Amino acid sequence: MYAVIFRATVGEQDQSYFDTAQAMREIAINEYGCLEFVAITEGDQEIAISYWQNQQDIRRWREDPRHQHAQQQGQASWYKDYRVEVVEIARSYQFPK
């Protein structure tokens, strides 16, 4: 399993941002096999983590034209900066079992 970690400094986030974020989450889950998507903003910092079965699904998602358009909007106004990391999950456990 893999996780994509998106960390950003927030810029101007208008209603268009929230609508686009919701649409991107639904497309990732419904069309590209994203298993889970969680995000939180605290102050001007945002972190979003999405979980995936394989790197091929992540790559297909990254190349989706709608996702690329959203990235362009993010770079233009929604974020001051961001960083994306793709990591392989070596171990996972939970409470309660």
Side-chain angles (χ1 to χ4, degrees):
M1 182 180 296
Y2 294 85
V4 176
I5 304 168
F6 174 85
R7 297 185 298 167
T9 304
V10 174
E12 291 185 36
Q13 294 185 333
D14 55 11
Q15 189 59 46
S16 177
Y17 163 79
F18 295 106
D19 294 343
T20 301
Q22 181 63 35
M24 292 300 101
R25 177 179 286 121
E26 290 174 7
I27 292 168
I29 291 169
N30 295 326
E31 295 183 29
Y32 290 99
C34 177
L35 303 170
E36 183 179 0
F37 189 104
V38 293
I40 188 164
T41 301
E42 184 175 314
D44 70 346
Q45 298 297 302
E46 177 180 315
I47 187 166
I49 305 173
S50 56
Y51 297 91
W52 305 80
Q53 285 292 342
N54 57 64
Q55 292 189 54
Q56 294 80 10
D57 289 343
I58 296 168
R59 194 172 301 110
R60 289 184 323 112
W61 167 237
R62 185 186 69 215
E63 295 170 356
D64 181 275
R66 296 163 293 184
H67 187 206
Q68 289 181 352
H69 180 71
Q71 290 173 358
Q72 291 168 356
Q73 289 178 296
Q75 292 168 0
S77 63
W78 297 334
Y79 299 111
K80 294 178 182 174
D81 58 64
Y82 65 81
R83 176 181 185 159
V84 178
E85 300 167 306
V86 178
V87 299
E88 186 170 7
I89 298 172
R91 181 181 18 230
S92 177
Y93 55 92
Q94 67 185 40
F95 174 83
K97 292 184 179 182

